[in-house]
Amino acid sequence: MERIVKSMENKYLLLSLELVQEVFAEYDSPEEGKVVRQLVEEIRAKNIICRSWSLSWSMKMMRLLDMLYFRAFILRESMKVNC
């Protein structure tokens, strides 16, 4: 299987950080949102790409991302209804 790793476009970097912080803040607490945002910022700053991640770790990350995207969708939809 061939994997292609592409950098995220600059216009989405800040938006994705804000989304991650918002989702974790609502899920747990504002402090947790800040911690997760800082973690993402640190990972981005170090430009870490590990090609030998285990399948189980990759699957856990995929579940986390799925949860984030689903939660973001619910938040957006609830904002549309409440406006």
Side-chain angles (χ1 to χ4, degrees):
M1 176 192 310
E2 182 179 334
R3 294 182 185 164
I4 299 173
V5 178
K6 295 180 2 181
S7 296
M8 184 181 291
E9 294 179 35
N10 286 335
K11 64 183 178 181
Y12 299 117
L13 290 175
L14 182 59
L15 291 173
S16 63
L17 273 178
E18 291 170 354
L19 175 63
V20 166
Q21 182 176 355
E22 182 180 331
V23 168
F24 277 90
E26 185 174 309
Y27 176 75
D28 192 292
S29 67
E31 294 79 24
E32 186 71 13
K34 290 177 186 175
V35 168
V36 174
R37 180 186 176 128
Q38 288 172 346
L39 177 62
V40 172
E41 289 172 333
E42 287 178 27
I43 291 170
R44 286 181 181 174
K46 292 180 182 177
N47 200 16
I48 299 172
I49 297 175
C50 181
R51 301 193 189 283
S52 62
W53 287 340
S54 70
L55 180 59
S56 64
W57 192 88
S58 297
M59 295 305 291
K60 289 176 186 176
M61 284 303 295
M62 291 302 293
R63 284 192 292 264
L64 175 62
L65 290 173
D66 287 345
M67 185 269 303
L68 287 172
Y69 287 128
F70 181 71
R71 195 72 183 129
F73 175 77
I74 291 173
L75 286 172
R76 286 191 189 122
E77 291 302 311
S78 67
M79 288 178 183
K80 288 179 187 176
V81 171
N82 293 333
C83 292

